[in-house]
Amino acid sequence: MFLQQLVTGVSVGGIYALLATGYSLIYSLLDFSNWAHGEVAMIGAYTALVVSSTLGLPFFLAVVVGIAGAALFSYLNERVAYRRIRHNNSPNMFLMIAAMGLSTVYQQAANLIFTGKYQMYDFRLPVSTIQIGNTYLGILDMVSLVITAVILIGLIYLINKTQFGLNVRAIASNSYAARVLGVQVDKSIASVFLLAGGLAGVAGVLYGMKYNVFPTMGNVGLKAFIASVIGGLGSVPGAIVGAVLLGIIETLCTAYINSSLRDFFSFALLIVLLLVKPSGLFGVDVQDKA
């Protein structure tokens, strides 16, 4: 029973991690919390749903289109809204306000278009389980866990071992110095939004397969934000650790205590950590950032 809940918790945490790493990457570059990120995941989930149900594309291709759609919207958020604010030398608070506005617009648009109904993908993995000893593990949880693990390993490699990752780390350290050294800052930031949007798209589809697709599903972004704060804002490894930890805590709370207290424990953990170690588990400095 415990192993089953642990696998489920890590699986849910993996979905949180796909979103949390996007939060952390964007925060490390622009020093603001992108509150529209959860809605980008929702857009990816709905794009895959619409393409699959109306155009009759195979589900795999529909997922690819959904991920591309999420990446495109994330890019447009940066290109149309955030970049203009940055170039006007406006306070970072304006970026966060713009993100809140985009979040509300996307959520309300989804409510108008899809009437707030919960919808299912035409293709769903079997809800059956795999027996390992006396433990039964859900097939969907196992598949989700493998997919997120592969993607996150690839992301860590991309950030630490490629020229793109070096540019991102240089901008995060000092954007002015990076620009002087020849790094194309705007291009790199746009690429990070594309990457973060793609990760959000994967998270949205996996979340939709597990819990159905609905207009307010982007609220899961709040859990991902909590995870990124727990791990340390701006730290990709910290976001992953914080997300997995949060997923396990929520799942164990649901299984052994009470499902209605799941959010209570999530926010209680956040408050305790902010009081004890405000910089998060991985010690990233978060002073004066919004």
Side-chain angles (χ1 to χ4, degrees):
M1 179 67 176
F2 177 79
L3 178 59
Q4 178 181 344
Q5 299 303 326
L6 184 63
V7 171
T8 301
V10 175
S11 173
V12 173
I15 296 175
Y16 290 166
L18 291 172
L19 285 165
T21 50
Y23 269 117
S24 290
L25 283 170
I26 293 171
Y27 189 91
S28 68
L29 298 183
L30 300 182
D31 293 350
F32 90 104
S33 302
N34 182 22
W35 292 111
H37 197 55
E39 276 59 45
V40 170
M42 178 267 292
I43 289 171
Y46 267 116
T47 301
L49 177 71
V50 171
V51 170
S52 175
S53 59
T54 61
L55 300 183
L57 287 181
F59 185 71
F60 175 77
L61 291 180
V63 169
V64 172
V65 174
I67 295 171
L72 176 62
F73 269 86
S74 180
Y75 170 80
L76 291 175
N77 288 345
E78 192 280 328
R79 187 65 182 85
V80 176
Y82 303 149
R83 185 178 300 188
R84 292 174 181 270
I85 294 174
R86 289 191 294 109
H87 286 182
N88 288 336
N89 294 319
S90 301
N92 286 348
M93 181 63 70
F94 286 18
L95 292 170
M96 191 167 68
I97 293 172
M100 289 179 176
L102 288 171
S103 173
T104 301
V105 167
Y106 289 148
Q107 192 172 115
Q108 293 302 315
N111 267 310
L112 289 172
I113 296 170
F114 300 104
T115 66
K117 294 180 179 179
Y118 285 68
Q119 301 185 55
M120 297 172 55
Y121 290 116
D122 295 333
F123 169 82
R124 292 178 67 86
L125 289 172
V127 294
S128 57
T129 58
I130 301 173
Q131 184 176 0
I132 302 178
N134 296 324
T135 303
Y136 294 87
L137 304 178
I139 292 178
L140 179 58
D141 287 331
M142 295 294 290
V143 171
S144 176
L145 179 57
V146 171
I147 291 173
T148 54
V150 170
I151 291 174
L152 292 173
I153 291 172
L155 175 64
I156 292 174
Y157 177 84
L158 181 68
I159 296 300
N160 293 309
K161 300 295 184 180
T162 67
Q163 184 63 46
F164 168 77
L166 180 62
N167 291 345
V168 170
R169 286 183 281 124
I171 297 169
S173 177
N174 189 315
S175 61
Y176 177 77
R179 194 187 304 274
V180 171
L181 293 173
V183 176
Q184 297 181 2
V185 174
D186 283 342
K187 183 178 179 180
S188 296
I189 290 175
S191 298
V192 166
F193 271 84
L194 273 171
L195 175 62
L199 295 173
V202 177
V205 171
L206 291 175
Y207 193 83
M209 291 178 65
K210 190 174 181 65
Y211 299 110
N212 294 329
V213 181
F214 50 98
T216 58
M217 66 182 295
N219 292 339
V220 69
L222 179 59
K223 296 295 183 67
F225 177 72
I226 292 174
S228 64
V229 173
I230 291 173
L233 276 171
S235 169
V236 170
I240 296 172
V241 172
V244 173
L245 179 62
L246 184 63
I248 292 173
I249 290 173
E250 289 190 345
T251 302
L252 294 180
C253 175
T254 300
Y256 296 109
I257 303 176
N258 191 314
S259 61
S260 63
L261 295 176
R262 181 180 60 186
D263 290 344
F264 168 80
F265 278 97
S266 299
F267 285 96
L269 174 63
L270 174 64
I271 293 171
V272 170
L273 187 69
L274 288 175
L275 292 174
V276 176
K277 196 175 187 340
S279 58
L281 297 177
F282 279 60
V284 177
D285 186 7
V286 296
Q287 292 182 358
D288 298 327
K289 293 184 177 182

